[in-house]
Amino acid sequence: MRSDSFGPGGAAREGRDRSGGPGGSRSGGGRPRRGTGGAPERGRSRGQRHPGPPRAPRRQRPERATEQRGTEEPQEKVPAGVTRMFASVVPGLAPLVVRELEQLDGVRVTDSGFDGRSDLILFDVDRGRRDAVWTLRTVEDLFVEVGRTMRSSGDRPHWIAGRVWRPERVEKALSVWSAQVRPLAGAMSYRVIARVLQEQSFLRTDLRKSLGRSVSRDRPKWKVADPAQIEVWISEYRQGRLIAGLRLSDASMRQHQGRRVERSGALRPTVAAMMVGLAGDPDGVLLDPCCGSGTVPAEALAAGWEGAEGRDIDPEAVAAAEQNVPRGAVRTGDARDLGLPDASVGAVVSNLPFGQQYGVQGGMAAWLTDVLAEAARVTRPGGRVVLLAPEIPREAVPEGLRLRSRDPIRLLGTRTTLWVYDRG
């Protein structure tokens, strides 16, 4: 808005100048104007034009970018040959998965956070290195980034949608999607999933609808559907920071091709894969003394362990595990008395009963003490014991085990912890 359009010193003051008021006459009165009797004029002369009320300022149309996006953000240039991606993982696993990503050539982690349901990890991938990311069995879903923004640049859903969905970036993301998933057609189906950390400024559904409108304007032949061929996700992964992307993976990535027999309370395959990874390099046999439906033995074989054995006190669990892990050695047994020679396995990895869905015989403290003593006995020196449990009292840990690390995670809203012990 120009300063001479209206306001102090603007049109209102200009009107006074024309009538000879302060600022309009010369100092000392000057020559009197022609009027009745030639006297100096005190008001409006006959025939003098009245300035009228001050005019309202002309409304200026905002620039298109500002109208659609809020404050324009400086755009960081993505180097040629680099693809920006992000991954979702089980809450609490992000620091561990970051370590795995950083071990891959051509992959650089740039940020991480939590969107209210999953941990998100942002990373850049060099040309020709994307396939390596798909080898990680600890990732729930993979996305190619479309855009990112901050609430501070304009905290309205349609502004946010306009900033993250920009045609030039969308084209690049779609080229990655088509190479990884399937060729694009003229008409595609899509749906939008939105997650935010707070709804004081707007509702999550408002952001979903606004991003959907941005997609429809850019791709008028695309139709909304559920399920859809393309999933567009936008998540607030830190307070005020949002990222949007196209989902590249499907359920098979987090389910690891699924289990033949499902059982209530079965461990998530991505968590089982992380536990197996924490057991160290494959060396001999890995044992799960509370194997349930066999998820840990299955991940052990996938990771390259020579053998994977399982025990469970529940015959129904053993029957399920035998079908899910036909190459594993699974049998009925008690975790407190495994019937194996001393130092006979390379690692013990197990999701221990929480005492909620599945109980234990006797008190939990006594049961844990007996189980950890047996795990230490059958694990050879230099091996590891990896356990998933909400709490393991220090007094329950035998002298032969030394705590290496503990990482809190959350499964289906329940807090628990990954415990890693070195066998001395």
Side-chain angles (χ1 to χ4, degrees):
M1 183 182 296
R2 296 183 301 180
S3 61
D4 60 353
S5 61
F6 179 66
R13 187 175 66 188
E14 182 181 356
R16 291 198 303 272
D17 291 347
R18 290 177 180 172
S19 64
S25 61
R26 300 177 186 176
S27 60
R31 181 179 179 180
R33 297 185 182 182
R34 183 176 298 175
T36 305
E41 186 174 66
R42 294 180 181 275
R44 180 168 59 92
S45 301
R46 183 180 299 174
Q48 183 177 355
R49 191 173 181 179
H50 194 284
R55 292 180 297 175
R58 178 178 297 176
R59 182 167 182 154
Q60 296 181 350
R61 181 177 178 82
E63 294 183 5
R64 183 175 180 83
T66 303
E67 185 179 49
Q68 291 183 352
R69 299 168 183 160
T71 303
E72 195 71 12
E73 296 175 323
Q75 298 301 309
E76 181 182 356
K77 187 175 181 181
V78 181
V82 171
T83 300
R84 286 193 158 172
M85 302 179 67
F86 60 97
S88 67
V89 302
V90 167
L93 285 189
L96 302 175
V97 179
V98 164
R99 291 208 301 257
E100 292 183 334
L101 283 166
E102 290 176 338
Q103 292 175 1
L104 302 177
D105 291 336
V107 177
R108 293 169 299 283
V109 175
T110 60
D111 205 356
S112 63
F114 174 66
D115 70 1
R117 293 191 181 182
S118 302
D119 283 354
L120 295 188
I121 305 170
L122 287 60
F123 55 95
D124 292 346
V125 186
D126 291 339
R127 181 183 290 116
R129 300 293 184 178
R130 286 202 309 265
D131 289 346
V133 179
W134 289 86
T135 64
L136 297 183
R137 298 177 66 85
T138 53
V139 169
E140 296 273 304
D141 275 303
L142 280 175
F143 304 81
V144 57
E145 182 181 326
V146 170
R148 63 180 75 176
T149 189
M150 299 179 66
R151 285 182 182 261
S152 59
S153 296
D155 197 13
R156 296 186 182 178
H158 63 285
W159 286 351
I160 291 172
R163 294 196 300 268
V164 299
W165 189 269
R166 302 193 181 193
E168 65 276 11
R169 292 179 174 179
V170 173
E171 285 294 339
K172 183 176 181 180
L174 283 173
S175 68
V176 174
W177 188 93
S178 61
Q180 203 73 55
V181 183
R182 52 162 288 182
L184 286 168
M188 301 288 290
S189 62
Y190 78 97
R191 71 177 184 130
V192 177
I193 295 93
R195 294 178 178 175
V196 296
L197 296 178
Q198 55 93 357
E199 293 187 318
Q200 296 176 351
S201 304
F202 54 81
L203 298 178
R204 171 183 56 84
T205 53
D206 294 334
L207 179 58
R208 175 174 57 81
K209 292 174 183 177
S210 293
L211 184 52
R213 285 191 287 269
S214 293
V215 175
S216 295
R217 281 193 298 266
D218 184 44
R219 303 282 161 170
K221 292 185 178 180
W222 287 14
K223 303 300 179 184
V224 177
D226 186 9
Q229 295 165 315
I230 295 179
E231 287 189 358
V232 183
W233 286 62
I234 182 167
S235 294
E236 184 177 16
Y237 67 98
R238 286 183 183 271
Q239 286 290 346
R241 294 179 179 269
L242 298 101
I243 188 167
L246 308 179
R247 183 181 171 191
L248 299 175
S249 55
D250 57 21
S252 65
M253 181 167 202
R254 57 183 176 276
Q255 294 174 358
H256 297 183
Q257 308 305 320
R259 291 176 279 248
R260 295 181 183 180
V261 179
E262 287 291 346
R263 198 164 176 267
S264 177
L267 184 63
R268 295 182 77 94
T270 54
V271 178
M274 178 58 72
M275 294 174 68
V276 169
L278 292 172
D281 294 333
D283 184 13
V285 174
L286 183 146
L287 169 69
D288 182 353
C290 302
C291 68
S293 56
T295 309
V296 167
E299 292 300 322
L301 292 174
W305 285 80
E306 295 175 15
E309 295 190 14
R311 301 285 189 276
D312 203 286
I313 202 167
D314 183 355
E316 291 185 3
V318 172
E322 287 175 337
Q323 294 188 57
N324 291 328
V325 197
R327 293 193 297 125
V330 183
R331 60 180 60 92
T332 304
D334 191 329
R336 298 169 297 179
D337 185 9
L338 295 170
L340 293 172
D342 294 352
S344 58
V345 301
V348 170
V349 179
S350 191
N351 173 25
L352 301 181
F354 290 3
Q356 297 177 358
Q357 280 191 307
Y358 301 102
V360 298
Q361 296 178 350
M364 179 61 75
W367 185 86
L368 277 173
T369 300
D370 293 342
V371 169
L372 265 68
E374 185 70 348
R377 183 186 69 79
V378 301
T379 304
R380 64 169 169 264
R384 289 181 188 167
V385 174
V386 182
L387 304 172
L388 181 64
E391 187 61 46
I392 297 180
R394 183 175 299 179
E395 56 271 19
V397 182
E399 292 184 0
L401 296 181
R402 179 176 57 84
L403 182 63
R404 180 184 183 90
S405 65
R406 52 178 293 180
D407 293 280
I409 67 172
R410 182 175 295 181
L411 290 175
L412 300 176
T414 301
R415 295 181 180 274
T416 186
T417 302
L418 286 171
W419 307 81
V420 181
Y421 297 92
D422 287 324
R423 177 68 169 91

